[in-house]
Amino acid sequence: MKILLIVLVMLNFTACAQNSQNSKLVTQKTVTNKKTTMEKTNTEEEKEVIAVTNKLSELMMARDLNGMDKILDEDYSLTHITGYHQSKKEWFDEVRKESMKYYSVEEVSKLVKIDGNKAEVIDRNLVDARIWGSRNTWRLQQILKFEKRDGKWIILESVASTF
C-alpha cells in the first residue's frame, strides 16, 4: 500500500512539473505572438475588428445585452470549451440571470486575418468568470468569425477552447 501511495505521489509530482514546463512554453509563445500581432495590427480594418472584439468583452462584463446585440449577428452562436453549442438567445438568458457572469478579461494575444468583408480573430485572454456556478480564471482562446455589413463588423460565431 505504501508503494502504491509513493508511486501516485511521484506521478502527480511528474505531471505537475510537466504542466509547469508546458505553461512556460505557452507563455513564451504567447509573448512572441503578442509582439507579432501588435506589429500586424496597423491597418484600419484590423483596428476596427479588434475594437469590436474588445467591445464585446466590455459589454459582457457590464451585462449590456442591448450593446452585445448590436455587434452580434442575429444567428450568432457560441461553442463553449466543453463543446456545448449555444444560441445567442440562450447565451443572453444565461448572462441576464448571471449563471454566466464575467468579471474581468486580460488580453494575452490577438491574431487578425481579413479577407474582403470576412475576418477571423484568434483571441487569447485570461477570463475571470463564473460559469454555471464555477468561478475560475480561464485561459480562454476564442476563434471569432466576422462579416462586414453596411460598414460595420458583426460577429457571426465564436468557438472557445483553452490554451
Side-chain angles (χ1 to χ4, degrees), residues 8-60:
L8 289 174
V9 169
M10 288 176 64
L11 285 173
N12 189 34
F13 177 75
T14 303
C16 288
Q18 187 175 11
N19 191 25
S20 175
Q21 184 66 17
N22 289 343
S23 293
K24 289 176 186 171
L25 292 174
V26 169
T27 301
Q28 291 170 353
K29 185 176 178 185
T30 299
V31 170
T32 302
N33 286 345
K34 190 170 186 178
K35 183 176 181 184
T36 303
T37 302
M38 288 170 49
E39 292 169 2
K40 289 183 179 178
T41 58
N42 55 2
T43 71
E44 284 305 310
E45 298 259 292
E46 290 169 332
K47 288 178 184 178
E48 290 172 12
V49 170
I50 288 171
V52 173
T53 304
N54 292 341
K55 185 69 173 175
L56 178 60
S57 295
E58 293 169 16
L59 295 167
M60 287 166 51

Side-chain angles (χ1 to χ4, degrees), residues 121-136:
V121 174
I122 300 173
D123 192 16
R124 289 183 168 185
N125 296 297
L126 301 176
V127 179
D128 178 8
R130 186 180 66 239
I131 306 298
W132 297 313
S134 296
R135 185 167 179 181
N136 196 6

Side-chain angles (χ1 to χ4, degrees), residues 68-77 88-89 92 145 147 149 153-157:
M68 291 167 62
D69 191 50
K70 292 176 184 175
I71 62 173
L72 298 175
D73 184 60
E74 181 178 324
D75 295 320
Y76 171 83
S77 67
K88 177 175 153 180
K89 180 190 179 314
F92 278 20
K145 306 278 186 184
E147 185 175 80
R149 297 180 187 158
W153 288 102
I154 303 296
I155 303 171
L156 305 175
E157 71 173 321

